Amino acid sequence: MGTESAFDAVVLAGGAARRLGGVDKAALRVGGTTLLDRVLDACAGAGGMVVVGPPRPTARPVRWTRESPPGGGPLPALAAGLRHASAGLVLVFAADLPFLTPATVCALLGGVSDDADGVVLTDPEGVENPLVAAYRTASLRRELELLERERGALAGLPLRLLTARLDLRRMPDPSGLASFDCDTWDALSTARARIREHGHVLEEWIAAAKAELGVDLDVDTTTLLDLARDAAHGVARPAAPLTTFLVGYAAGRAGGGPEAVAEAARKAAELARRWAEEDTEGGSGGSGAGTSAR
């Protein structure tokens, strides 16, 4: 798995979630998307994605595996996931990171220097989070095997016993968002409230809608919003959602892709401009044939 990619991803999703009353934490939703799916979306470029935990529905194809024994903690879970990773680098994430993004993933991967075993994210207080990190696969395997030989078993051992044996670089997370996890009900409420704040809600909605619809396309929201505004003001308010729908449909008919969307939006914007000009000319006694029908 992952033989043609520079990295694989292992997501640990088998914790007991005691502070959440034992609910399936990975299946909880933020912005209409499960916490697990939000993490998987951030890792979309991985050659292979392995989820350690009980199988549940996911939007992206993954390989499921379980730690031995079940509930044995993060080290047995990590060892189980690594059995299915073959790329030189492996991302290791918890399943409850609602604000993990592809940008953070790229930064972690790019931060693994030639002389280090990996890079780990640190929160605003400088505390390392070994479950928001990128590691050299061989380094993790080597130290896990040595630790198991020394201790007899990995179950119940803390993750810091492993990370203390690795030469890790630190990557600061000044905002604290990428390392924000939902391990309490208050944290879950905070995450749900934040994505509905002004300045975040549109980006979050577009990302969730693309994932739900299976659309892998960079959407130029500024262009589409400008088009919707022009259609609403120059024609009629209901024209805004209908026009943007038609732009999407026309782009799909043209083969899809950013260029097709941009061209369809350009044509519709030009039409809205002509429509508005015609309306102005008619209302000011110009050469137009009259005001446009509403």
Side-chain angles (χ1 to χ4, degrees):
M1 182 178 241
T3 55
E4 297 181 358
S5 173
F7 68 97
D8 290 329
V10 172
V11 182
L12 307 189
R18 293 183 180 88
R19 286 192 281 179
L20 287 167
V23 302
D24 183 5
K25 180 168 58 173
L28 295 175
R29 295 181 182 274
V30 171
T33 303
T34 68
L35 289 170
L36 177 56
D37 274 334
R38 293 178 76 88
V39 173
L40 295 176
D41 286 343
C43 305
M49 289 190 282
V50 185
V51 181
V52 185
R56 61 273 259 189
T58 56
R60 295 181 181 274
V62 302
R63 180 159 191 166
W64 294 96
T65 189
R66 289 304 307 267
E67 71 275 24
S68 179
L75 291 187
L78 183 53
L82 285 177
R83 294 189 190 102
H84 304 287
S86 58
L89 296 177
V90 60
L91 296 165
V92 176
F93 294 128
D96 63 343
L97 304 168
F99 302 120
L100 187 68
T101 66
T104 299
V105 167
C106 288
L108 286 169
L109 292 168
V112 183
S113 59
D114 292 339
D115 59 345
D117 294 316
V119 60
V120 61
L121 204 68
T122 61
D123 68 14
E125 284 71 46
V127 178
E128 296 181 359
N129 189 336
L131 295 184
V132 189
Y135 299 97
R136 294 198 180 280
T137 309
S139 298
L140 280 184
R141 284 203 180 102
R142 180 191 69 235
E143 297 304 330
L144 278 168
E145 289 170 1
L146 288 172
L147 195 56
E148 187 170 19
R149 284 203 297 269
E150 293 169 4
R151 298 294 184 112
L154 297 174
L157 298 179
L159 194 54
R160 66 176 179 273
L161 286 181
L162 172 66
T163 55
R165 305 166 72 111
L166 298 169
D167 179 14
L168 300 175
R169 300 294 179 262
R170 292 172 151 217
M171 190 179 86
D173 177 25
S175 70
L177 285 177
S179 54
F180 183 93
D181 56 12
C182 291
D183 58 356
T184 67
W185 290 115
D186 284 346
L188 184 69
S189 296
T190 298
R192 287 173 170 171
R194 186 187 184 280
I195 67 167
R196 288 166 171 78
E197 293 174 357
H198 179 69
H200 300 290
V201 64
L202 184 60
E203 178 183 349
E204 290 285 349
W205 168 253
I206 292 297
K210 290 196 299 183
E212 187 74 15
L213 298 172
V215 176
D216 187 13
L217 174 68
D218 288 332
V219 178
D220 188 343
T221 54
T222 300
T223 296
L224 293 179
L225 287 173
D226 286 346
L227 168 61
R229 178 201 63 205
D230 293 343
H233 293 174
V235 184
R237 190 167 298 277
L242 293 173
T243 303
T244 51
F245 164 77
L246 291 172
V247 164
Y249 184 78
R253 290 285 299 271
E259 296 82 4
V261 174
E263 177 61 14
R266 185 194 65 76
K267 290 180 178 179
E270 177 64 19
L271 174 61
R273 184 191 63 77
R274 295 198 305 267
W275 190 290
E277 285 180 353
E278 196 173 292
D279 189 35
T280 302
E281 290 171 357
S284 60
S287 59
T291 58
S292 55
R294 300 292 179 102

